[in-house]
Amino acid sequence: MSAPTTVDLRSDFSGYIELTVPEPTADGRRSFTIHSGHIDDDAESYFGRGYCHWLAGAIHSITGWPVVTVDVRLTGYANWRPVHSGVLTPNGTVLDIFGDNTRQTVCARHLEPVVAETRSRIVAGPNVPGDVLSGIDHLRGNHLWWTHQYCTPELQALLLHFARLVLTRHGYGHHIPAAARSRRTDTTAAPQRQPPTDHPTPRGSAMSIPEEVAQLNAIASAIPVGLLQQLADAEVPAEVLAAREALSGGSGGVVAILGRTGEATEAADGISHAIAKLDRAAEAYQAVRNQLSDAFKSAARAQQLIQQAADYHGRGQK
């Protein structure tokens, strides 16, 4: 599907709308209630951890400012992948749904244990489809590429409303040209619920979960963490300890009962051998238990890292 060559940048959204997206955002959410004029948790999750690239595209269409994209490189991987976008303001800061911050601050927001390092890069607005998102490189050069995702007038109005809201909220309202100022003049009307809008499924972007994520999840679930924990928590059987006590007991031992006879001496030798073997078995068991405990901790950490990698690899746009 091609993006249009013209869009009414003055279109606006009022009231509130309930949205359900096909794939969860980076914080695991799929349902949102978005209110006009409000940047709350729902708006931050939706526009900051799910559809930030498109919001940046809409702001670029209004202002012409270049896009800044944050890439992450996961521990153990050589490739970089884009996770977030904002726009570069005339002040050299990055503007997105979370506010007006330095590039270093925006990069630091994406540092987690599974991430080896982050970087930011400036991308000319029309180049974003090919340099940030996959599957829509045919729209390179079209500054309205974001309408490939926001393909209905209702969704376009929603995105443009929040693009203007972000600009105005952080002191950049004077950069909104007349051709992009809202057509809506009545700002006192009570909020009205907008009908639910079917959110288009992302096509060819990193937001659709690839096969690699399913494979990573399968690997993580196959690690026998629970079994290792059970083995590591096991103790030397009480019966073994009781047997050792019975064999080595002083006044109640075999030697004391049988006296100093040849049978008693032979029995005592056998008991000594048995006790020694029990002691070695108990030591070996403890050593194995310690190794199992280490194995459990390593396996649990590996499972955690694999699941985090799957989350980063599959969450798509942040």
PDB file of all heavy atoms in Angstrom, residues 2 18 24 69 89 99 106 139 155 174-175 217 251 292 294 315:
ATOM      1  N   SER A   2       0.516   2.199  -0.849  1.00  0.00           N
ATOM      2  CA  SER A   2       1.282   3.436  -0.960  1.00  0.00           C
ATOM      3  C   SER A   2       0.697   4.497  -0.043  1.00  0.00           C
ATOM      4  O   SER A   2      -0.507   4.534   0.217  1.00  0.00           O
ATOM      5  CB  SER A   2       1.277   3.936  -2.403  1.00  0.00           C
ATOM      6  OG  SER A   2       1.885   2.989  -3.261  1.00  0.00           O
ATOM      7  N   GLU A  18     -10.811   4.597  22.314  1.00  0.00           N
ATOM      8  CA  GLU A  18     -10.266   3.351  22.836  1.00  0.00           C
ATOM      9  C   GLU A  18      -9.609   2.596  21.685  1.00  0.00           C
ATOM     10  O   GLU A  18     -10.217   2.389  20.641  1.00  0.00           O
ATOM     11  CB  GLU A  18     -11.372   2.516  23.474  1.00  0.00           C
ATOM     12  CG  GLU A  18     -11.987   3.180  24.696  1.00  0.00           C
ATOM     13  CD  GLU A  18     -13.234   2.478  25.180  1.00  0.00           C
ATOM     14  OE1 GLU A  18     -13.692   1.547  24.480  1.00  0.00           O
ATOM     15  OE2 GLU A  18     -13.760   2.858  26.240  1.00  0.00           O
ATOM     16  N   PRO A  24       1.558  -6.346  21.395  1.00  0.00           N
ATOM     17  CA  PRO A  24       1.780  -5.543  22.600  1.00  0.00           C
ATOM     18  C   PRO A  24       2.930  -4.560  22.427  1.00  0.00           C
ATOM     19  O   PRO A  24       3.867  -4.791  21.677  1.00  0.00           O
ATOM     20  CB  PRO A  24       2.098  -6.587  23.675  1.00  0.00           C
ATOM     21  CG  PRO A  24       2.585  -7.779  22.916  1.00  0.00           C
ATOM     22  CD  PRO A  24       1.841  -7.771  21.620  1.00  0.00           C
ATOM     23  N   THR A  69      16.849   8.568  15.813  1.00  0.00           N
ATOM     24  CA  THR A  69      16.495   7.192  16.148  1.00  0.00           C
ATOM     25  C   THR A  69      17.521   6.599  17.110  1.00  0.00           C
ATOM     26  O   THR A  69      18.725   6.790  16.929  1.00  0.00           O
ATOM     27  CB  THR A  69      16.410   6.330  14.872  1.00  0.00           C
ATOM     28  OG1 THR A  69      15.296   6.764  14.092  1.00  0.00           O
ATOM     29  CG2 THR A  69      16.222   4.856  15.211  1.00  0.00           C
ATOM     30  N   THR A  89      15.263  18.863  17.713  1.00  0.00           N
ATOM     31  CA  THR A  89      14.767  20.240  17.770  1.00  0.00           C
ATOM     32  C   THR A  89      15.873  21.214  17.364  1.00  0.00           C
ATOM     33  O   THR A  89      17.055  20.846  17.315  1.00  0.00           O
ATOM     34  CB  THR A  89      14.297  20.590  19.191  1.00  0.00           C
ATOM     35  OG1 THR A  89      15.450  20.756  20.035  1.00  0.00           O
ATOM     36  CG2 THR A  89      13.393  19.510  19.755  1.00  0.00           C
ATOM     37  N   GLY A  99       8.890  14.083  26.384  1.00  0.00           N
ATOM     38  CA  GLY A  99       9.370  15.428  26.668  1.00  0.00           C
ATOM     39  C   GLY A  99      10.518  15.847  25.773  1.00  0.00           C
ATOM     40  O   GLY A  99      10.748  15.283  24.700  1.00  0.00           O
ATOM     41  N   VAL A 106      17.899  10.240  26.302  1.00  0.00           N
ATOM     42  CA  VAL A 106      17.006   9.354  25.565  1.00  0.00           C
ATOM     43  C   VAL A 106      17.658   7.984  25.375  1.00  0.00           C
ATOM     44  O   VAL A 106      16.997   6.948  25.514  1.00  0.00           O
ATOM     45  CB  VAL A 106      16.627   9.983  24.210  1.00  0.00           C
ATOM     46  CG1 VAL A 106      15.794   9.025  23.380  1.00  0.00           C
ATOM     47  CG2 VAL A 106      15.866  11.287  24.432  1.00  0.00           C
ATOM     48  N   LEU A 139       8.515   3.768   0.165  1.00  0.00           N
ATOM     49  CA  LEU A 139       8.010   5.094   0.501  1.00  0.00           C
ATOM     50  C   LEU A 139       9.125   6.081   0.806  1.00  0.00           C
ATOM     51  O   LEU A 139       8.865   7.215   1.200  1.00  0.00           O
ATOM     52  CB  LEU A 139       7.063   5.003   1.702  1.00  0.00           C
ATOM     53  CG  LEU A 139       5.801   4.152   1.494  1.00  0.00           C
ATOM     54  CD1 LEU A 139       4.987   4.089   2.766  1.00  0.00           C
ATOM     55  CD2 LEU A 139       4.975   4.687   0.338  1.00  0.00           C
ATOM     56  N   LEU A 155      -7.318   8.059  12.302  1.00  0.00           N
ATOM     57  CA  LEU A 155      -6.003   7.798  12.884  1.00  0.00           C
ATOM     58  C   LEU A 155      -5.018   8.921  12.573  1.00  0.00           C
ATOM     59  O   LEU A 155      -4.179   9.277  13.405  1.00  0.00           O
ATOM     60  CB  LEU A 155      -5.461   6.460  12.374  1.00  0.00           C
ATOM     61  CG  LEU A 155      -6.126   5.205  12.957  1.00  0.00           C
ATOM     62  CD1 LEU A 155      -5.636   3.962  12.239  1.00  0.00           C
ATOM     63  CD2 LEU A 155      -5.869   5.089  14.450  1.00  0.00           C
ATOM     64  N   HIS A 174       5.229  27.698  18.294  1.00  0.00           N
ATOM     65  CA  HIS A 174       5.403  28.711  17.250  1.00  0.00           C
ATOM     66  C   HIS A 174       6.046  28.133  15.992  1.00  0.00           C
ATOM     67  O   HIS A 174       6.120  28.821  14.960  1.00  0.00           O
ATOM     68  CB  HIS A 174       6.247  29.873  17.777  1.00  0.00           C
ATOM     69  CG  HIS A 174       7.609  29.472  18.255  1.00  0.00           C
ATOM     70  ND1 HIS A 174       7.816  28.778  19.432  1.00  0.00           N
ATOM     71  CD2 HIS A 174       8.844  29.668  17.706  1.00  0.00           C
ATOM     72  CE1 HIS A 174       9.121  28.563  19.586  1.00  0.00           C
ATOM     73  NE2 HIS A 174       9.758  29.096  18.559  1.00  0.00           N
ATOM     74  N   HIS A 175       6.512  26.878  16.065  1.00  0.00           N
ATOM     75  CA  HIS A 175       7.082  26.232  14.881  1.00  0.00           C
ATOM     76  C   HIS A 175       6.011  25.519  14.052  1.00  0.00           C
ATOM     77  O   HIS A 175       6.333  24.965  12.992  1.00  0.00           O
ATOM     78  CB  HIS A 175       8.151  25.213  15.296  1.00  0.00           C
ATOM     79  CG  HIS A 175       9.431  25.840  15.793  1.00  0.00           C
ATOM     80  ND1 HIS A 175      10.426  26.275  14.937  1.00  0.00           N
ATOM     81  CD2 HIS A 175       9.860  26.106  17.048  1.00  0.00           C
ATOM     82  CE1 HIS A 175      11.429  26.777  15.653  1.00  0.00           C
ATOM     83  NE2 HIS A 175      11.107  26.689  16.935  1.00  0.00           N
ATOM     84  N   ASN A 217      11.807 -18.096  22.785  1.00  0.00           N
ATOM     85  CA  ASN A 217      10.901 -18.444  23.866  1.00  0.00           C
ATOM     86  C   ASN A 217      10.867 -19.947  24.099  1.00  0.00           C
ATOM     87  O   ASN A 217      10.778 -20.408  25.242  1.00  0.00           O
ATOM     88  CB  ASN A 217       9.488 -17.938  23.551  1.00  0.00           C
ATOM     89  CG  ASN A 217       9.358 -16.438  23.765  1.00  0.00           C
ATOM     90  OD1 ASN A 217      10.003 -15.886  24.647  1.00  0.00           O
ATOM     91  ND2 ASN A 217       8.543 -15.781  22.963  1.00  0.00           N
ATOM     92  N   SER A 251      28.239 -45.843  73.268  1.00  0.00           N
ATOM     93  CA  SER A 251      27.846 -46.933  74.173  1.00  0.00           C
ATOM     94  C   SER A 251      26.774 -47.821  73.589  1.00  0.00           C
ATOM     95  O   SER A 251      26.595 -48.966  74.007  1.00  0.00           O
ATOM     96  CB  SER A 251      27.347 -46.335  75.506  1.00  0.00           C
ATOM     97  OG  SER A 251      26.219 -45.491  75.265  1.00  0.00           O
ATOM     98  N   LEU A 292      24.792 -28.357  41.530  1.00  0.00           N
ATOM     99  CA  LEU A 292      23.414 -28.191  41.071  1.00  0.00           C
ATOM    100  C   LEU A 292      22.898 -26.794  41.399  1.00  0.00           C
ATOM    101  O   LEU A 292      22.165 -26.194  40.613  1.00  0.00           O
ATOM    102  CB  LEU A 292      22.514 -29.248  41.715  1.00  0.00           C
ATOM    103  CG  LEU A 292      22.634 -30.661  41.150  1.00  0.00           C
ATOM    104  CD1 LEU A 292      21.902 -31.646  42.052  1.00  0.00           C
ATOM    105  CD2 LEU A 292      22.065 -30.719  39.737  1.00  0.00           C
ATOM    106  N   ASP A 294      24.722 -24.081  41.641  1.00  0.00           N
ATOM    107  CA  ASP A 294      25.339 -23.175  40.667  1.00  0.00           C
ATOM    108  C   ASP A 294      24.683 -23.310  39.302  1.00  0.00           C
ATOM    109  O   ASP A 294      24.461 -22.322  38.590  1.00  0.00           O
ATOM    110  CB  ASP A 294      26.840 -23.464  40.558  1.00  0.00           C
ATOM    111  CG  ASP A 294      27.600 -23.070  41.826  1.00  0.00           C
ATOM    112  OD1 ASP A 294      27.060 -22.266  42.606  1.00  0.00           O
ATOM    113  OD2 ASP A 294      28.724 -23.588  42.016  1.00  0.00           O
ATOM    114  N   ARG A 315       9.438  -6.990  20.428  1.00  0.00           N
ATOM    115  CA  ARG A 315       8.551  -5.885  20.755  1.00  0.00           C
ATOM    116  C   ARG A 315       8.450  -4.878  19.647  1.00  0.00           C
ATOM    117  O   ARG A 315       7.514  -4.106  19.561  1.00  0.00           O
ATOM    118  CB  ARG A 315       9.028  -5.171  22.023  1.00  0.00           C
ATOM    119  CG  ARG A 315      10.285  -4.367  21.816  1.00  0.00           C
ATOM    120  CD  ARG A 315      10.672  -3.615  23.062  1.00  0.00           C
ATOM    121  NE  ARG A 315      10.830  -4.488  24.205  1.00  0.00           N
ATOM    122  CZ  ARG A 315      11.366  -4.076  25.347  1.00  0.00           C
ATOM    123  NH1 ARG A 315      11.733  -2.825  25.487  1.00  0.00           N
ATOM    124  NH2 ARG A 315      11.504  -4.892  26.353  1.00  0.00           N
TER     125      ARG A 315
END
